[in-house]
Amino acid sequence: MSTAVPQSETGTGGARWALSDSWVLTGRSLAHWARNPAPVVIGLLFPIMMVLMFGYLFGGAMQVPGGGSYREFLVPGMFAMTMVFGIEVTMLAVISDAAKGVTDRFRAMPTSAAAVVSGRSIADMLNSVLGLAVMILCGLAVGWRANEGFGRALAAVGLLLLLRFALLWVGIYLGLVFTDPAAVTAVQTLVWPLGFLSNAFVSPDTMPGWLAAVSEWNPLSATVTAARRLFGNPGWDTGTWATDQAIVMGVVWPVIIFAVFFPLSVRRYQRLGS
């Protein structure tokens, strides 16, 4: 293992160098995806398969109040689930870099500590923008529409990407904590309960009381409800404060998650190997 150079002693921790280092490390991730696009393509195909499976196999049994289309109800939920799936992508990339010794090499170089994790976040956000664009095209193909105009649709997309931005710091932190790639499988098994404990697929009204409360306060539910409202898609209004303030909570939850996991990630990176 290389000997880490304390970042504060390198003299390159200024904002300009941090931005420059971040861009270089972002380009590194993009170059890897360009040379090995298979994982990216598979990551894009999986949510499309979920839309087709839930929309056409199970959708016929789902009733949406007001007679709306279940696929219009489902697609904003799948947009949000795609943002959640990104945790695994980020976590796996961070673990792979650590396992190959790349992280130790970065720490031994006069590179800004913030740039390493920021470069990872910028690359993953670009990947998420591409994934969301593909999902929007998929939604349009199955009959989903944004019915409230371009401005509100853009606001919904912004909330979805804000959720992704917050969750990618969860992925970076978990990737720095767990060095075994098998830990990604454990996270994958937790992502689905997070999704089913939200209103992405069904209304909390159909759940037992205590489970409905958990679902309504699930950060994913806030983003899904806000996106449906901004897109003008059908959804259930449970009449609770969490539902009424969904757009506000769609901002508040990601900010809280970011405020917790960003400093944890940077601190964990700085303490690696100590």
Side-chain angles (χ1 to χ4, degrees), residues 112-258:
S112 166
V116 176
V117 289
S118 297
R120 177 79 266 153
S121 69
I122 294 170
D124 284 359
M125 283 304 297
L126 292 174
N127 178 270
S128 298
V129 169
L130 174 63
L132 187 55
V134 171
M135 285 298 296
I136 289 174
L137 292 176
C138 172
L140 292 172
V142 301
W144 168 83
R145 295 293 182 271
N147 302 309
E148 296 291 333
F150 179 76
R152 288 175 68 84
L154 199 60
V157 169
L159 287 180
L160 290 163
L161 292 176
L162 181 62
L163 177 68
R164 173 67 180 112
F165 180 72
L167 293 178
L168 75 83
W169 290 102
V170 178
I172 289 174
Y173 178 69
L174 293 178
L176 292 172
V177 171
F178 299 102
T179 56
D180 187 349
V184 178
T185 303
V187 172
Q188 288 173 332
T189 60
L190 295 176
V191 164
W192 283 106
L194 175 67
F196 285 115
L197 276 175
S198 73
N199 61 3
F201 302 101
V202 298
S203 168
D205 276 349
T206 63
M207 305 176 186
W210 67 272
L211 208 55
V214 172
S215 174
E216 287 173 350
W217 286 97
N218 184 332
L220 183 60
S221 294
T223 299
V224 172
T225 301
R228 284 179 182 139
R229 199 166 292 167
L230 291 168
F231 283 134
N233 297 145
W236 277 280
D237 185 355
T238 56
T240 62
W241 189 92
T243 302
D244 292 342
Q245 305 301 323
I247 294 178
V248 174
M249 294 307 296
V251 175
V252 170
W253 273 123
V255 169
I256 292 174
I257 295 170
F258 173 77

Side-chain angles (χ1 to χ4, degrees), residues 90-102:
T90 301
M91 185 177 173
L92 184 60
V94 174
I95 289 177
S96 297
D97 276 352
K100 295 174 183 174
V102 175

